[in-house]
Amino acid sequence: MTYSPTATTAWKTLQHQAESANAERITEFFTENPNRTHEMSVECGQLHLDFSKNLVSDKTWQALLALADQSPLDSFRAAMFSGETINTTENRAVLHAALRAEIGDQKVAAAEEESDQRVRLVKQQLSQVKLVSEKIRNGDWVGSTGKAITDVINIGIGGSDLGPKLACSALQEFAHPNINLHFISNVDGAEILSTLKKLDPETTLVALASKTFTTQETLLNAKTTLNWFAKELGLNDAQTSSHFVGLTASRENALAYGIPNEQILEFAEWVGGRYSLWSSIGLSIAISIGYDQFEEMLAGAREVDIHFQSAPAEKNMPVIMALLGIWYNNFLNAQTNAVIPYCERLLLLPSYLQQLDMESNGKSTTLDGQQVDYDTGAILWGQTGTNGQHAFFQLLHQGTRLAPVDFIALAVDKMSNEEHHRVLLGNMLAQSSALMCGQEAPAGEQHRYYPGNKPSNVLLLKELSPKNFGSLIALYEHKVFVQGCIWNINSFDQWGVELGKKMANHLLAENSAQTADLDVSTKALFAYIESCQ
Ligand code: F6P
């Protein structure tokens, strides 16, 4: 039978409940149910989520759980973990979880043997990551003039950049003291040229990261480094030297590019780009924090994989976060989801999550090829607290829009000190409380009125270890998956990005605005730029 979320009884119940939801007060839910915080808190590994400050009454919560139950979540989840081709528009399985799995993890008997084989393949591919990262870290990997590597440039974009860049920033506490990581993604020449100016080509390694090895921006940035090696070292075809490694699912394309076979670190095509930091795309992470810590990161993700497959919906962290998002998005008309980490090392988390969430769930065609008649993925945005408090929090407190927030913080931070950390956490707790509680205005001073009733989650990591970082990322991966299941969309393709790529190629193929076959506005802009040059 064809599934549509809007045809479920739970959806109709939620629509009905939403009509009166804005008249309810979150603070009153706590009075009605003194156990609310306890009931609406959940643990997974070293992650603790308190979701009690949401505009969700007990009965709405039950209806949201019913929505999950009436969706194909259970069967899709089993299908994903057992390697079925759930990415139907690209005819692929979706197996990033296999990158952190162990032998015996698969409990569906029919899929057990295949799954164990996959784990063996992954372990073999990751052993290359271990080998190369250790050689680089030990100083045994030398450039063409015999000097050890001091700088690694990861050239990649989207999933071949955001995950490794976030992980290296988040886990800087564990970074190798003498090896610097650089991330080049944008085709903006100013970025790569200014980075190269600071580097010594004799001691620089390029990690060319691209699942397909066809991405325009990545290949142009790589070409610029090839020119740099040729100019500075007289090293022609540096891609064939020890200054280059290729991280890819296409050994064929990397070989055609000239990378030596043993310098190609491969991963399987069933790993989506935005889910690839766990694969050889994570080489820069292993170089930075060491392979053992990289494995810890995988172990943290695996813990969430197990939790996601085994915990009942009402205690299942990714399911809970997904359902809350759906409530605001589909029933209370929220357009966005803010993610505010109270940790500067997680500064890049919102931009990482933008690809994960918006490239996955920014869809309007159902799995059956129909146009959706309900909203799908929310606009995800955010930046670190306390900086955000001095920028956009005004709108969160007194603006007219509903913008649910995920506050994320570390219970303990060994990189900080007691005083700073107390102030940081105090601010986060105060913000989430102030958003919920609000405050009456003094007489005649309406501008000092805080309506409150603004929802938020508080997600605490015991500390920012590689393991907990892995758990955090896997949590959001599965949250996005759950939402995709309920919305009946394919969260694993990204056809939406193709048209712009095609038009850029078309535009670049034209030499002049005079000949370009473009819309009138774009033609005029093209002509204006030409006139400036
Ligand atoms: O254009 C979007 C995209 O395909 C992302 O999904 C992907 O992470 C990125 O481009 C980079 O692709 P690749 O790793 O193949 O260079």
Side-chain angles (χ1 to χ4, degrees):
M1 204 179 73
T2 325
Y3 161 80
S4 168
T6 53
T8 60
T9 54
W11 190 277
K12 295 188 175 87
T13 307
L14 287 161
Q15 270 177 329
H16 178 67
Q17 292 183 4
E19 286 164 21
S20 54
N22 283 323
E24 295 180 310
R25 299 292 302 178
I26 308 173
T27 45
E28 279 165 23
F29 298 151
F30 288 87
T31 319
E32 287 159 15
N33 177 4
N35 234 357
R36 181 173 169 92
T37 306
H38 176 70
E39 286 171 14
M40 291 192 157
S41 292
V42 58
E43 305 271 330
C44 171
Q46 294 202 342
L47 307 189
H48 174 96
L49 173 70
D50 175 349
F51 62 102
S52 62
K53 292 195 190 76
N54 278 289
L55 187 47
V56 171
S57 64
D58 287 351
K59 76 181 187 303
T60 295
W61 184 230
Q62 292 312 316
L64 284 167
L65 289 168
L67 181 66
D69 194 45
Q70 291 166 20
S71 80
L73 169 61
D74 285 350
S75 58
F76 279 6
R77 176 171 43 198
M80 176 170 77
F81 280 94
S82 58
E84 284 177 37
T85 310
I86 61 166
N87 178 358
T88 44
T89 59
E90 294 180 330
N91 198 26
R92 280 187 194 137
V94 175
L95 280 160
H96 46 277
L99 296 168
R100 56 248 186 169
E102 295 293 344
I103 299 278
D105 277 0
Q106 176 56 254
K107 304 294 177 227
V108 178
E112 210 176 312
E113 182 46 39
E114 225 181 296
S115 161
D116 287 352
Q117 265 177 28
R118 247 186 327 257
V119 173
R120 280 189 277 273
L121 169 73
V122 166
K123 299 250 178 230
Q124 184 215 323
Q125 289 174 337
L126 289 180
S127 70
Q128 275 286 99
V129 174
K130 178 175 160 72
L131 189 86
V132 173
S133 62
E134 285 179 350
K135 265 187 145 184
I136 293 169
R137 286 170 62 84
N138 297 340
D140 292 338
W141 186 288
V142 294
S144 55
T145 59
K147 291 191 180 167
I149 299 301
T150 58
D151 292 86
V152 176
I153 315 178
N154 185 88
I155 297 185
I157 197 163
S160 298
D161 166 71
L162 292 163
K165 187 162 63 181
L166 164 66
C168 289
S169 166
L171 301 174
Q172 57 194 259
E173 182 183 347
F174 307 90
H176 191 289
N178 304 321
I179 298 180
N180 305 308
L181 274 300
H182 310 267
F183 291 89
I184 298 291
S185 53
N186 200 326
V187 75
D188 176 352
E191 197 192 6
I192 177 94
L193 294 172
S194 58
T195 300
L196 293 179
K197 248 187 218 150
K198 293 181 274 185
L199 300 182
D200 176 355
E202 288 189 84
T203 59
T204 297
L205 174 89
V206 172
L208 191 42
S210 175
K211 177 175 176 184
T212 56
F213 242 71
T214 59
T215 303
Q216 180 199 53
E217 294 92 331
T218 299
L219 293 180
L220 179 52
N221 280 323
K223 183 174 147 203
T224 299
T225 63
L226 290 177
N227 293 339
W228 177 67
F229 281 113
K231 180 164 172 265
E232 300 293 324
L233 290 184
L235 182 65
N236 292 322
D237 298 326
Q239 74 275 24
T240 62
S241 76
S242 60
H243 289 279
F244 265 71
V245 291
L247 319 176
T248 187
S250 176
R251 182 174 292 275
E252 197 188 347
N253 286 351
L255 282 171
Y257 189 83
I259 311 263
N261 194 33
E262 61 286 2
Q263 286 165 221
I264 298 171
L265 280 62
E266 215 179 353
F267 60 97
E269 55 123 41
W270 38 250
V271 179
R274 51 193 175 275
Y275 301 89
S276 63
L277 81 161
W278 322 99
S279 73
S280 60
I281 289 290
L283 177 73
S284 49
I285 310 172
I287 294 171
S288 178
I289 65 175
Y291 191 78
D292 290 351
Q293 300 284 21
F294 180 78
E295 274 192 326
E296 280 292 298
M297 188 182 94
L298 300 180
R302 174 171 174 260
E303 196 157 280
V304 175
D305 296 338
I306 294 169
H307 166 90
F308 176 48
Q309 292 175 90
S310 55
E314 69 279 10
K315 289 285 166 203
N316 194 310
M317 215 183 264
V319 175
I320 291 168
M321 289 178 71
L323 291 174
L324 293 167
I326 285 182
W327 171 239
Y328 297 120
N329 190 52
N330 294 102
F331 300 96
L332 299 190
N333 298 324
Q335 306 252 325
T336 79
N337 174 199
V339 176
I340 318 281
Y342 274 68
C343 170
E344 207 55 26
R345 276 120 72 206
L346 291 174
L347 173 70
L348 299 173
L349 183 66
S351 56
Y352 171 81
L353 293 179
Q354 279 176 338
Q355 187 199 14
L356 178 65
D357 197 321
M358 293 162 80
E359 196 168 73
S360 297
N361 284 344
K363 310 279 165 69
S364 48
T365 304
T366 67
L367 286 169
D368 327 296
Q370 304 300 312
Q371 182 72 18
V372 294
D373 56 1
Y374 44 87
D375 279 321
T376 59
I379 297 162
L380 192 147
W381 61 286
Q383 75 137 305
T384 51
T386 57
N387 296 351
Q389 289 173 211
H390 296 273
F392 53 79
F393 270 51
Q394 164 65 38
L395 181 147
L396 296 183
H397 286 285
Q398 288 188 318
T400 55
R401 306 202 179 258
L402 172 65
V405 179
D406 288 350
F407 289 106
I408 300 176
L410 317 179
V412 175
D413 188 356
K414 289 192 220 109
M415 278 195 95
S416 183
N417 67 23
E418 214 186 304
E419 187 181 5
H420 277 272
H421 202 55
R422 215 171 59 83
V423 172
L424 183 71
L425 290 190
N427 270 283
M428 184 208 58
L429 294 174
Q431 290 297 333
S432 97
S433 177
L435 284 169
M436 174 176 74
C437 298
Q439 199 173 69
E440 290 304 324
E445 295 188 69
Q446 185 61 17
H447 56 278
R448 290 175 65 188
Y449 171 59
Y450 299 86
N453 223 24
K454 314 269 189 188
S456 65
N457 287 319
V458 174
L459 178 63
L460 292 171
L461 280 65
K462 228 166 224 168
E463 56 181 347
L464 191 49
S465 60
K467 189 166 183 193
N468 294 347
F469 174 77
S471 297
L472 174 68
I473 300 303
L475 166 65
Y476 275 96
E477 282 180 350
H478 294 321
K479 172 204 161 177
V480 167
F481 170 74
V482 174
Q483 293 190 329
C485 291
I486 293 174
W487 286 325
N488 197 29
I489 54 175
N490 180 357
S491 300
F492 300 105
D493 60 10
Q494 55 286 316
W495 293 101
V497 301
E498 292 304 319
L499 178 61
K501 283 188 201 173
K502 197 171 113 196
M503 287 181 73
N505 286 336
H506 172 66
L507 192 149
L508 290 167
E510 298 295 331
N511 285 327
S512 158
Q514 305 311 316
T515 56
D517 171 23
L518 296 165
D519 68 83
V520 178
S521 158
T522 308
K523 207 167 177 169
L525 288 165
F526 196 177
Y528 175 79
I529 293 166
E530 275 183 318
S531 75
C532 297
Q533 282 159 359

